[in-house]
Amino acid sequence: MAPAAAGLRTDFCGRLRIADVGRVVSVCGWVARRREHGEHLAFLDLRDYTGILQCVVDGAHDLRAEYVVRVTGTLRRRPEGTTNPSLETGEVELHECTVEVLNAADPPPFSLDSRVETDEIVRLRYRYVDLRSERMQKNLRTRATVTSALRQAMEGNGFLEVETPLLWTPTPEGSREFAIPSRLQHGSFYVLPQSPQIAKQLSMVGGIDRYYQIARCLRDEDLRADRQFEFTQLDLEASFVTEHEVQAFVEDAVARAIAAVTGERPAPALRLSWAEALERYGVDKPDVRFGMELVDLKSVFAETAFNAFRSDAVRALCFPGGAALGRARLDALVERAKGLGAKGLVWMRVVPGDGGGLALDSPVVKFLSDVEQTGLLTALDASLGDLILAVADERRRACEVLGQLRIDLGRPPVYEGPWRLCWVVDFPLFDGVDDEGRPQAAHHPFTMPRPEDLDRLVSDPLSVRAQSYDLVLNGWELGSGSIRIHRREIQEQVFAGLGITREEAESRFGFLLGAFRYGAPPHGGFAVGIDRLVAILAGEENIREVIAFPKTQSGADPMTGAPKPLTPAHLAELGLRVAPTAGPNAPGGARRG
RNA sequence: GGACCUGUGGUGCAGCUCGGAGUGCACGCCGGCCUGUCAAGCCGGAGGUCGCGGGUUCAAAUCCCGUCAGGUCCGCCA
């Protein structure tokens, strides 16, 4: 819990209470605010990470915001009528104070007051100041609470923490890797690991049995609100387990982390197959906190005369209260659907009908029979004032477009509880084909197919299901995992399915395939995105808010100025020459300061 | 690679549609007054290449083009 104060101070600002009245205490911190009342009275709000304490000081002190000071005085109960219920220390104050300025400070570049939302680039440029804010203090402490709970859970389940290399070997395929030039072998490179995937599998061959690591992963892909170049995963792998045991370990760890922050263990995770998630929610990371599920209307429109609905599939959803949307808003929805790849979008308002029933208001209603209209309303369980959105298209596209519209229209902020964990299982082994018609690995090429689907690996690869699974929290993908292939002949079949030749496989993953000859146990694992988990628990929609020193969307660090050009001497030492077309970072190129 | 939004004293905003003197608000900053405040209060003051470049115009923060930076998203993230 709270550490004992030591060194220059006897106490922390935010922890002093009525019970401490009469004690002579020393506190240290930053000047949060001062209120001066002439030459001989001023109030000084002193801030450390625990909170704020009011100190009554002689007005003659030259104290400014963010000065670092040590205050020694006697704690007393505040005079009648001057308590401040909005402070945890609001019943007490420090008086007869001696103030030592440990360090003066320039005025801060922005207010640390939580009421003012400062532009993020300013906060990032002066991140060391921003970190003093209540928000960042709380977020980083939430993060530490989460990682601590995850470690405890993993160790409680017998997992061994093992570190894996940051300087790894290129394994083309997958996400783009950051390259590190070798000084000792010019022209050769390490890469930073996009995850410790292969290393942890090798640890299983090595008899570690249960491995975990709070691991930094690095991917040179474009950044997003929920994606940074470098991010942190709870990475784990276990031997002699089925996917159910892996999921139980993961769910226990995540539930404990949630409980450590919220005080409450979440309900057990739902389980959905990938196919069911797509059918009901139109995405592979369903947000099951709200309804608006997708409905199959194919049977309603089996014989329809409406050409647009004579399609491979007709899916719809019902947006409660959406009939109030104006025409401009509806047109925007149609455009959104087209932007997502749909041929079109049909909207229908549910309005009062003759004789007290329900009717549809839509440009296409004249093409629909009475039976179809009734069937539609029944299938969607629509009520007066709702808006029905329908897409007719190829099945998967219809589902995916409506799934996105469902999120656009109905989704609460990610951090709004309840915490609804959801396993999505039975992913396909391959997901579509590449430009040359070869199947693409949906997860990664070491994922074990379902045994009953093995015989279709060559004849019908796209129908093969994998022993892989994702964990979803409130519509955010928290992580994914799988049972791995541990037998060489299955691995070769999957490589064959992916169009990877024996020679290619040997050059890319030869060391892994070699290892598998020497007694690889059945094994599987998972990785949990800690930044995302913490962001949700901290009530943030952006993982930058739970990372001490994040990068901007263009991959820059406004505080340090990284990335920067290397000196010619440094480049020469690494045996590198920057191509003249490399842009502003090239030697001699323009570069802002 | 693409779409959309944003850029105005240190900070947060208004001004931009419909061009007319850097005009305004709040916080902060500097100076003065003030012995119970807590977003203290009162008085005075300083502080601006309106992101940058070009164009249109008698005249541009405002209209047009380009560019840079930040954000959200698509592509991308096995």
Side-chain angles (χ1 to χ4, degrees), chain A residues 168-172 177 189-191 507-509 511:
Chain A
W168 191 244
T169 188
T171 52
E177 296 163 323
F189 295 81
Y190 306 93
V191 304
S507 76
R508 286 187 197 177
F509 314 113
F511 61 99

Side-chain angles (χ1 to χ4, degrees), chain A residues 12-266:
Chain A
F12 292 100
C13 295
R15 300 253 160 81
L16 291 165
R17 296 289 185 277
I18 288 288
D20 299 299
V21 163
R23 290 179 48 213
V24 175
V25 303
S26 293
V27 288
C28 294
W30 287 263
V31 175
R33 212 169 278 119
R34 78 212 131 88
R35 296 175 291 280
E36 292 184 38
H37 291 260
E39 236 176 294
H40 294 293
L41 176 67
F43 297 98
L44 173 68
D45 285 345
L46 190 65
R47 179 188 64 234
D48 65 21
Y49 78 89
T50 63
I52 281 180
L53 178 68
Q54 172 167 290
C55 308
V56 186
V57 299
D58 186 290
H61 288 99
D62 181 27
L63 294 171
R64 304 300 167 108
E66 303 306 323
Y67 272 34
V68 185
V69 299
R70 174 180 188 229
V71 183
T72 302
T74 307
L75 198 75
R76 72 171 178 191
R77 184 186 290 271
R78 289 199 190 185
E80 192 69 29
T82 64
T83 59
N84 182 352
S86 61
L87 284 184
E88 291 203 56
T89 59
E91 288 188 281
V92 296
E93 66 186 9
L94 207 56
H95 81 135
E96 293 166 357
C97 291
T98 312
V99 180
E100 262 175 88
V101 174
L102 302 176
N103 208 347
D106 287 351
F110 55 92
S111 170
L112 287 174
D113 193 320
S114 58
R115 291 162 312 165
V116 182
E117 185 91 354
T118 303
D119 194 90
E120 197 181 351
I121 189 146
V122 179
R123 294 174 53 208
L124 291 181
R125 187 172 301 136
Y126 302 96
R127 192 62 155 182
Y128 39 81
V129 174
D130 188 44
L131 292 180
R132 282 178 215 157
S133 69
E134 197 182 344
R135 178 188 198 174
M136 290 306 298
Q137 287 283 323
K138 172 184 142 285
N139 288 355
L140 292 182
R141 284 167 205 285
T142 295
R143 186 179 182 115
T145 299
V146 166
T147 53
S148 171
L150 292 175
R151 282 185 196 282
Q152 284 175 38
M154 297 316 291
E155 282 166 19
N157 282 322
F159 283 76
L160 181 72
E161 182 171 9
V162 177
E163 294 180 81
T164 54
L166 278 180
L167 296 177
W168 191 244
T169 188
T171 52
E173 184 155 345
S175 60
R176 192 180 295 116
E177 296 163 323
F178 283 98
I180 307 293
S182 164
R183 174 179 58 86
L184 298 176
Q185 296 181 41
H186 284 183
S188 284
F189 295 81
Y190 306 93
V191 304
L192 301 174
Q194 45 186 288
S195 82
Q197 179 63 38
I198 294 175
K200 71 177 175 179
Q201 290 191 243
L202 292 172
S203 82
M204 294 298 101
V205 181
I208 298 300
D209 204 275
R210 293 181 185 179
Y211 144 98
Y212 90 97
Q213 185 180 190
I214 307 278
R216 197 65 67 89
C217 306
L218 300 109
R219 296 182 187 171
D220 190 1
E221 299 289 351
D222 288 358
L223 285 59
R224 288 281 193 285
D226 61 353
R227 278 164 32 194
Q228 285 270 303
F229 281 154
E230 43 187 314
F231 57 99
T232 307
Q233 289 187 335
L234 169 66
D235 194 47
L236 62 103
E237 195 80 10
S239 294
F240 309 113
V241 292
T242 66
E243 61 180 289
H244 293 97
E245 278 116 31
V246 175
Q247 288 162 17
F249 289 137
V250 171
E251 190 172 336
D252 178 55
V254 170
R256 282 207 226 181
I258 292 173
V261 174
T262 67
E264 215 173 316
R265 206 174 157 101

